[in-house]
Amino acid sequence: MRRLLLSASASLCLGLGCSTAPVTRPDAQARQSPAPTPTATGRGGAAATVDVRATSAAIDILKAGGNAVDAAVAAASVLGVTDPYSCGIGGGGFMLVYLARDQRVVTVDHRETAPQGLERSHFYENGAPLPFDELVTSGLSVGVPGALLGWDEALRRYGSRSLADVLQPAIRVAEQGFDVDSTFFEQTRHNVERFRDFSSSAALYLGPDGRPWPVGSTFKNPGLARTYRLVAEGGTPVFYRGALARALISTVTHPPLVPGASRTVRPGVMRLEDLARYEALVRPPVTSTYRGYTLHGMGPPSSGGLTLALTFHLLEAENPASLSRADFLHRYLEASRLAFADRDAFIGDPAFVSVPVSGLLSRDYAAQRRSALSGARASTAAAAPGNPLPFQGDVPEASPSAAPARRAAEDTLLDKETTHITTSDAAGNIVAYTCTLEGEGGNGMVVPGYGFLLNNEMTDFDLPATVDAPHPNAPAPGKRPRSSMSPLLVFKDGAPVLALGSPGGATIITTVGQTLLNHLDFGMPLDEALAAPRVSQRNAPTAASNAEPEFLASPEAAALTARGHAFTNAGPLGAATGLRFHPDGTVTAVAEPRRRGGGSARVVEPVK
Ligand code: GLU
């Protein structure tokens, strides 16, 4: 491990960071945002996000003739202002796009990427993985951000507006400000200790007293407004080359610690060349079927699409009509356990690892894997992976074996932040877009003067106990860490049925899976399916599932406990959004009614 520790005394107050303060004030006349509604039905286009201003930006663009891609990017750029601890131009994401005219689904992978100089050895010291907490708030955990190039790529290929156009609502929100609500306040509060240690983060997100801006005050981000303006004028090169790029690299390599901070902050090794060579990648989706529905999900480097596909292939042999809800949930949880065992063993960045995609998707593999499903009782130990390699349609290639590893951040932490956007337009195009900084507040460092936080996505790599043990998701230069983000589009007989997605680390997969199951198998309308209490089985070594308190109090939990299931209380899981497309051409947009303070769903032309 190279010794690159920064102490507070070595910290620098870089560039504009020492002088730029947000215009943030307690304000009795705070701009009141319209009250969010979590469900809306109508025509002409729809949007659902976690935030009323982001949904409004999407609907305004749709009303002005923009398409679903324009609307999704407009919403994402507003969320960079109003939901800045979850997403933004310092991070990345995965966008699924249904192109109605061509009747095909494409994906835009703009996952953060390890810098070329980031060796696996950087994550180890004295032969052991670095402490996780140290990695979270570090320069080492920052991947090359992909968001802006992802937005630009999606707009150029599939949008109808320029990046400059769709950034305008976000510029307005950043300049005019928005009223701090309890969600924003709480998210800031969770980050106070970290933000206090970085001059740029404290200057933007904390008041002069070092506390979060109170609920009801107006929060403005002139630095981010300026950044968006610069990008609107100069395009993505403003971000990936030039002064902003230099400020970003300085933040990663010389974190802006305040004098006297005692935190150990390991600088990163990102260079300007890493930013200049970043590419957003257009990939085909991972496609599977379930009871006559076609599911399009995100393929590697996300594990979302494949893990969901395998879970549902395993479950398809069960008939929900002939089972009690608890019996069906038992089978779902056991299927999820097996699917996660395979996920952990086989999925990584396909540029580095031979992921057995066709084997994992094979019906014959699922039929064989089903024999590992526990019977009437829950498994009491973690499942071992299966072997999909003989089921590969192409010439089987050996996948690397997975040594036991410290599980990636997104596998273990539940209090994760990310955000999901769903949009559709009058022409029938649909976007399911999940974007993230990884942890809540990313690595905690605002790029001085530019108003956005950096990601800590490199903590999504797995770290085996020793630096040379094989693992498909171990760090490597230029590699994208495995994700769980699971934007999903569901069709029946060629017609769109659902768009779905959620935040929540690895619980993203189970939140999307359970919502789908609630809707397709239990017949709940999408709003009920999405609001229902959640349970998440991810093949933890303890064999237990995580569950929300409301699930723990349910009759199903009691019945499952009687079958040997163990649960731990996880608090709220995810904050999903979705769209349900009806045969009469109307769309129901759905956001969370309660989780994360409730989201906002709207349509262009409401009916009823
Ligand atoms: N970084 C995680 C992933 O890519 C997402 C984190 C979250 O959802 O909170 O899967």
Side-chain angles (χ1 to χ4, degrees):
M1 167 71 204
R2 260 192 259 172
R3 299 289 301 187
L4 289 169
L5 297 188
L6 258 197
S7 70
S9 57
S11 75
L12 302 170
C13 193
L14 289 165
L16 299 161
C18 305
S19 57
T20 304
V23 185
T24 311
R25 64 206 153 80
D27 184 353
Q29 303 296 313
R31 284 171 52 82
Q32 290 298 310
S33 301
T37 49
T39 305
T41 297
R43 299 176 189 277
T49 78
V50 74
D51 179 72
V52 70
R53 291 139 305 217
T55 298
S56 296
I59 292 292
D60 289 348
I61 291 253
L62 291 169
K63 283 185 174 166
N67 74 9
V69 177
D70 308 329
V73 177
S77 56
V78 171
L79 289 171
V81 182
T82 59
D83 193 12
Y85 309 133
S86 302
C87 63
I89 55 176
F94 295 105
M95 185 186 289
L96 251 65
V97 184
Y98 173 62
L99 302 163
R101 202 183 48 197
D102 304 344
Q103 297 197 312
R104 69 188 173 104
V105 174
V106 292
T107 80
V108 183
D109 164 0
H110 44 290
R111 181 72 163 165
E112 299 91 327
T113 300
Q116 288 300 324
L118 189 65
E119 300 291 342
R120 185 162 159 182
S121 57
H122 285 113
F123 293 89
Y124 289 78
E125 195 165 58
N126 303 323
L130 288 172
F132 176 73
D133 286 352
E134 252 181 49
L135 280 177
V136 168
T137 309
S138 73
L140 276 179
S141 65
V142 184
V144 181
L148 258 184
L149 267 175
W151 297 351
D152 196 51
E153 191 73 30
L155 289 169
R156 281 176 194 278
R157 286 176 180 258
Y158 314 118
S160 72
R161 297 282 193 271
S162 66
L163 185 58
D165 278 355
V166 302
L167 288 175
Q168 297 308 315
I171 292 170
R172 277 196 298 279
V173 176
E175 271 172 355
Q176 294 171 7
F178 61 91
D179 43 313
V180 170
D181 63 11
S182 57
T183 304
F184 186 88
F185 175 84
E186 283 302 322
Q187 292 177 337
T188 312
R189 197 175 61 79
H190 299 158
N191 275 292
V192 161
E193 299 304 324
R194 299 200 300 162
F195 288 173
R196 276 185 193 146
D197 283 352
F198 299 106
S199 50
S200 51
S201 309
L204 180 58
Y205 287 119
L206 304 180
D209 57 356
R211 293 170 192 273
W213 294 98
V215 173
S217 57
T218 301
F219 183 83
K220 300 182 183 183
N221 189 338
L224 186 54
R226 187 178 76 99
T227 302
Y228 280 160
R229 271 195 201 290
L230 289 171
V231 172
E233 283 158 21
T236 55
V238 164
F239 186 92
Y240 290 93
R241 299 160 195 276
L244 197 169
R246 286 194 293 279
L248 193 160
I249 296 296
S250 292
T251 311
V252 171
T253 56
H254 298 85
L257 269 172
V258 297
S262 57
R263 184 182 296 275
T264 298
V265 178
R266 293 172 190 263
V269 293
M270 196 185 294
R271 298 162 60 94
L272 284 169
E273 295 77 38
D274 293 306
L275 285 166
R277 68 185 290 167
Y278 185 85
E279 276 182 289
L281 303 171
V282 174
R283 304 179 187 271
V286 158
T287 300
S288 58
T289 58
Y290 181 62
R291 301 191 203 286
Y293 293 89
T294 302
L295 275 45
H296 297 289
M298 190 67 221
S302 181
S303 59
L306 284 173
T307 311
L308 281 170
L310 183 54
T311 303
F312 282 97
H313 284 171
L314 292 171
L315 200 58
E316 201 168 24
E318 311 293 342
N319 180 2
S322 66
L323 294 169
S324 71
R325 197 172 274 196
D327 277 336
F328 194 67
L329 276 175
H330 161 68
R331 287 159 171 82
Y332 163 68
L333 294 177
E334 294 303 318
S336 184
R337 193 191 307 277
L338 294 186
F340 268 84
D342 287 4
R343 164 196 183 267
D344 295 351
F346 298 113
I347 302 178
D349 182 344
F352 289 75
V353 181
S354 176
V355 183
V357 173
S358 60
L360 289 167
L361 289 175
S362 145
R363 292 280 166 177
D364 292 339
Y365 175 59
Q368 189 211 58
R369 189 82 174 112
R370 225 172 264 137
S371 62
L373 277 174
S374 71
R377 304 276 310 164
S379 300
T380 51
N387 182 10
L389 297 182
F391 299 88
Q392 288 280 93
D394 42 18
V395 179
E397 275 184 68
S399 286
S401 57
R406 185 170 79 200
R407 302 186 102 197
E410 42 107 32
D411 283 6
T412 48
L413 298 185
L414 300 171
D415 59 336
K416 308 292 290 304
E417 301 297 336
T418 289
T419 202
H420 184 74
I421 297 160
T422 39
T423 59
S424 66
D425 63 31
N429 303 300
I430 309 166
V431 173
Y433 177 31
T434 316
C435 48
T436 191
L437 297 178
E438 184 359 60
E440 185 183 61
N443 83 337
M445 299 176 205
V446 168
V447 175
Y450 291 97
F452 66 92
L453 284 156
L454 291 172
N455 70 83
N456 62 330
E457 212 71 55
M458 302 299 96
T459 59
D460 273 358
F461 283 121
D462 284 273
L463 299 179
T466 58
V467 71
D468 48 8
H471 197 288
N473 188 38
K479 192 172 178 181
R480 299 183 180 204
R482 184 186 62 212
S483 169
S484 294
M485 289 191 273
S486 307
L488 187 73
L489 296 174
V490 180
F491 292 75
K492 181 136 201 201
D493 302 327
V497 175
L498 279 177
L500 262 186
S502 178
T507 71
I508 291 173
I509 298 171
T510 56
T511 289
V512 172
Q514 196 184 351
T515 307
L516 196 64
L517 174 149
N518 286 343
H519 186 63
L520 298 185
D521 291 323
F522 294 157
M524 297 182 198
L526 184 59
D527 54 345
E528 273 179 42
L530 195 140
R534 291 180 183 143
V535 58
S536 176
Q537 170 52 248
R538 304 186 308 288
N539 199 34
T542 62
S545 300
N546 295 119
E548 296 186 325
E550 297 79 7
F551 185 85
L552 293 175
S554 69
E556 285 82 14
L560 287 163
T561 304
R563 283 169 183 72
H565 285 271
F567 299 104
T568 55
N569 184 341
L573 293 172
T577 65
L579 302 177
R580 174 67 161 100
F581 301 90
H582 304 292
D584 68 355
T586 60
V587 183
T588 300
V590 181
E592 294 282 355
R594 286 184 308 279
R595 296 179 185 95
R596 239 195 246 183
S600 165
R602 285 182 59 191
V603 291
V604 170
E605 298 163 27
V607 296
K608 65 182 182 194

